[in-house]
Amino acid sequence: MSDNPNLKDHRVIGQELDLFSFHEYAPGAVFWHPKGWIIYKTLQEFLRTMLSHEGYKEISTPVMVKSSLFKRSGHWDYYNENMFNFDIEKETYSLKPMNCPEASLIYGSKTRSYQDLPIRFMDFGILNRNELSGVLGGLFRVRQFVIDDAHLYVRPDQIQKEIHDLLLLVVNFYKILGFIAEFYLSTKPDKAMGDAKLWEEAEKDLEQAMKDAKVKYGIKEKDGAFYGPKIDIHIKDSQGRDWQLATIQLDFQIPEKMKLEYIDKDGKPKRPVIVHRAILGSIERFIGILTEHFQGAFPLWLSPVQAIILPIADRHLEGAKKIKDKLAEAGIRIEIDERSETLQSKIREATLQKVPYMGIIGDKEIKIDSLSVRTRDGRDLGLMEVSKFLKLLKEEIDKKT
């Protein structure tokens, strides 16, 4: 909760706007309501579209696998206490806490040539981590979540370009939401697997990539993942709080553990390097941050309800429905307030629900196929033809402002 008494916790906003809830039957897991799920899916689809243009291919892998996979990848020795493990028919299984070992099985499912690389897999799989109940907190700390995960299998000579492109991708994404990214190089932790020389090489690669991309960066000593160093990307929200969200990790270790190969120009097998990356990090946590950052007043493209029609009287309902159908057909998320309440009451409720645009319809508006348009921050945009209102909405949605 913020120290500012005028700012609301995301759990309060989530309840007021009917976005999500939490229940004792599933501690650390989110129940997404229809409006909250719209935000979730809209973010996810935006990323899917953006990444498909960047050459990513989406994969999906099992939630439950034999624990021996994590022993093979090296995760078990460093992470098994944070995993949900259980026995089935005399074998131990785990709910996956990360996607990389399974993505690597897909990579290793056939012979890869040096010409095939880079291979970019994105994965929105459900992850489970055994967090202590005392640290669970709304969307910020959960046990079940989804990361906008990706694993890039690259040749050593491709590392610099891939990381450079990722840095630009992250910067551009956060600009859309009005955030300025800050970068940090996180180096080898005390508890790390693999050859120290490979660690040193990986740290140099990441540092050089940031220099080439001309981004300022700080150093987070001993804060890397146990399998490789990483670039952590931080943002500050509207309340001045610092959040570490995106991450770019360079991994020479798992390819060695999983015996991943590609056939090089000389016909000999070589090890690829894995670049692990997330832009949002945990989607649940990111939506919690966004909810508090915007205090529920999401930008139009993310708003669960983008516009609402407010009929002045019951006789205006039929006209309101025709306009709603027209806007809905064009892809606008729109509702009608059909309650037998005063116009002021309807405006107040729409404002409390943070609906970006209100279209008031009465006798005058019906005659000329128009709406009297207001915004949630109290601006009166005046009388507007339905076609012009649709154009206004479409342009704002496309700009992602």
Side-chain angles (χ1 to χ4, degrees):
M1 192 80 170
S2 169
D3 293 334
N4 187 333
N6 297 317
L7 296 172
K8 295 179 180 178
D9 184 277
H10 70 277
R11 288 164 287 195
V12 175
I13 297 168
Q15 184 175 14
E16 290 176 349
L17 302 186
D18 195 21
L19 303 179
F20 50 80
S21 57
F22 302 90
H23 298 278
E24 61 182 306
Y25 301 103
V30 188
F31 289 75
W32 289 102
H33 298 199
K35 289 180 180 178
W37 195 237
I38 287 171
I39 297 171
Y40 196 106
K41 297 295 285 184
T42 301
L43 271 173
Q44 211 173 43
E45 288 308 314
F46 176 57
L47 277 169
R48 276 194 174 102
T49 302
M50 184 174 73
L51 295 174
S52 64
H53 295 320
E54 299 287 331
Y56 286 75
K57 304 294 183 187
E58 187 167 356
I59 61 172
S60 179
T61 58
V63 172
M64 183 178 72
V65 293
K66 291 180 180 179
S67 304
S68 55
L69 174 61
F70 299 105
K71 293 174 183 176
R72 179 183 169 191
S73 69
H75 287 89
W76 186 262
D77 292 337
Y78 296 85
Y79 213 78
N80 75 85
E81 291 179 0
N82 299 99
M83 295 164 63
F84 289 103
N85 307 307
F86 40 91
D87 294 330
I88 301 175
E89 296 178 347
K90 298 181 181 179
E91 284 203 76
T92 304
Y93 283 74
S94 302
L95 297 179
K96 65 174 177 179
M98 66 278 295
N99 294 306
C100 36
E102 292 173 313
S104 294
L105 289 180
I106 293 178
Y107 175 89
S109 64
K110 66 178 187 178
T111 303
R112 309 286 182 177
S113 161
Y114 73 96
Q115 294 173 310
D116 298 329
L117 274 56
I119 292 171
R120 306 179 186 95
F121 289 146
M122 60 174 166
D123 189 347
F124 292 99
I126 293 173
L127 304 177
N128 290 272
R129 296 181 184 175
N130 190 7
E131 302 281 3
L132 296 172
S133 58
V135 301
L136 300 176
L139 296 174
F140 291 162
R141 197 72 175 262
V142 290
R143 286 175 173 158
Q144 179 180 295
F145 58 98
V146 171
I147 291 175
D148 64 308
D149 217 353
H151 297 92
L152 286 58
Y153 297 84
V154 305
R155 305 189 308 262
D157 62 288
Q158 295 171 323
I159 289 172
Q160 292 297 325
K161 183 179 186 307
E162 288 300 307
I163 294 175
H164 181 273
D165 291 348
L166 281 174
L167 290 170
L168 297 181
L169 184 72
V170 168
V171 168
N172 289 335
F173 177 82
Y174 281 114
K175 268 186 186 174
I176 289 167
L177 290 167
F179 294 122
I180 297 171
E182 296 178 355
F183 299 87
Y184 295 88
L185 174 63
S186 295
T187 61
K188 183 183 177 184
D190 291 329
K191 192 177 180 183
M193 74 177 182
D195 187 341
K197 287 183 180 178
L198 289 176
W199 271 89
E200 188 177 339
E201 183 182 340
E203 287 176 10
K204 284 180 180 176
D205 281 330
L206 290 179
E207 196 160 12
Q208 189 60 49
M210 285 192 284
K211 286 176 180 175
D212 290 345
K214 296 180 179 173
V215 298
K216 293 180 181 178
Y217 64 93
I219 304 290
K220 290 164 72 175
E221 296 286 354
K222 299 184 178 183
D223 204 32
F226 61 83
Y227 50 78
K230 56 181 179 160
I231 297 171
D232 286 332
I233 295 98
H234 291 234
I235 58 100
K236 281 191 171 62
D237 65 13
S238 60
Q239 302 172 42
R241 295 176 301 184
D242 182 83
W243 299 97
Q244 190 262 302
L245 299 174
T247 183
I248 300 168
Q249 303 171 358
L250 197 54
D251 179 6
F252 290 85
Q253 314 298 339
I254 291 175
E256 191 66 40
K257 293 277 187 180
M258 300 282 288
K259 306 299 180 191
L260 303 181
E261 295 179 342
Y262 65 91
I263 305 303
D264 209 353
K265 289 179 184 177
D266 59 7
K268 294 179 180 178
K270 301 281 172 62
R271 291 267 184 261
V273 179
I274 301 177
V275 180
H276 307 246
R277 78 102 191 95
I279 298 173
L280 307 182
S282 157
I283 298 178
E284 285 75 3
R285 182 167 171 259
F286 188 75
I287 292 175
I289 293 165
L290 279 187
T291 301
E292 293 191 12
H293 176 70
F294 292 116
Q295 285 293 290
F298 296 98
L300 185 65
W301 69 282
L302 275 179
S303 291
V305 180
Q306 294 170 322
I308 188 165
I309 300 176
L310 310 179
I312 293 174
D314 289 347
R315 67 180 180 274
H316 305 126
L317 266 175
E318 187 179 341
K321 286 175 182 175
K322 287 179 182 177
I323 294 171
K324 175 183 179 266
D325 290 345
K326 184 176 180 179
L327 295 177
E329 273 180 30
I332 304 301
R333 297 190 288 268
I334 186 163
E335 293 182 352
I336 301 174
D337 188 339
E338 299 187 23
R339 298 175 304 150
S340 297
E341 297 284 348
T342 65
L343 178 60
Q344 287 307 311
S345 175
K346 291 180 179 183
I347 291 172
R348 182 175 181 276
E349 181 60 22
T351 303
L352 288 173
Q353 286 297 304
K354 313 287 187 183
V355 180
Y357 288 96
M358 296 160 238
I360 299 163
I361 182 168
D363 294 335
K364 176 178 63 176
E365 287 82 8
I366 285 175
K367 279 182 186 177
I368 55 174
D369 193 28
S370 296
L371 293 163
S372 291
V373 179
R374 292 175 59 95
T375 67
R376 64 185 163 201
D377 57 7
R379 287 182 297 133
D380 185 351
L381 303 185
L383 206 60
M384 195 176 289
E385 291 176 7
V386 174
S387 59
K388 286 187 178 178
F389 182 47
L390 175 58
K391 185 172 182 245
L392 169 77
L393 295 172
K394 281 291 204 180
E395 286 177 353
E396 188 173 330
I397 290 166
D398 289 345
K399 286 178 183 175
K400 300 282 188 293
T401 53

